[in-house]
Amino acid sequence: MADRKSFTDVARDRAPLWCRVSFLMCGDWALAEDIVQVTLVRLYKRWHRLDLDGVEAYARKVMARLVIDAARRPHRRGEVLTTPPDRPRRDASLEDGAEVEVRAALATLGPRQRAVLVLRFYCDLSVTETAAALRISEGTVKSQSARALATLRTLLSPGPATLNPAERVLP
């Protein structure tokens, strides 16, 4: 029972943060919540073998892989045949304008570049830790970070380049 209680405590405490991290990686709240649910299931299955200090790293690794997997296989997503339940809409005036711009710019990046940036700069992982979480080389982490940051700088720079990302025409 102690194991089940410790899992419940970790899941209750960490799930909201994991949802935010997952959302930053995929850009879709519904998908982010699904990814966290799958992550929690995988965590629960391996709970007896995990070190409590490694739970956070394991969860980030699972989430990053699920986000990239979901982006690669869009045919896996089911079609919603009913209307979603009513949810209160967040008041746009409560959000910081810069935060909205950054999220819109992040949405233009590919899934791997988004995952690299979120793990590196939002989760504050090192290049080595990010490479291990995504199962890619450190050089790939560095190059993906550089390319993604260059794209974000272009999209977020002042001037005519800050048009709606959907309206931008890339060469």
Side-chain angles (χ1 to χ4, degrees), residues 37-71:
Q37 287 299 316
V38 172
T39 301
L40 289 171
V41 168
R42 290 186 183 180
L43 236 141
Y44 185 75
K45 286 180 180 178
R46 291 162 183 80
W47 190 251
H48 64 283
R49 291 184 281 171
L50 290 175
D51 179 21
L52 207 51
D53 295 333
V55 168
E56 188 72 29
Y58 179 77
R60 282 192 305 258
K61 183 184 297 188
V62 170
M63 286 187 301
R65 290 178 184 166
L66 288 170
V67 167
I68 292 170
D69 187 48

Side-chain angles (χ1 to χ4, degrees), residues 17 21 29 33 46 66 73 85 90 97-98 102 139 147 167:
L17 173 67
V21 169
W29 273 113
E33 290 171 348
R46 291 162 183 80
L66 288 170
R73 296 181 183 95
R90 283 185 61 177
V102 170
R147 288 183 185 135
E167 296 173 359

Side-chain angles (χ1 to χ4, degrees), residues 98-111:
E99 180 182 332
V100 173
E101 285 183 46
V102 170
R103 269 196 265 133
L106 272 174
T108 65
L109 299 175

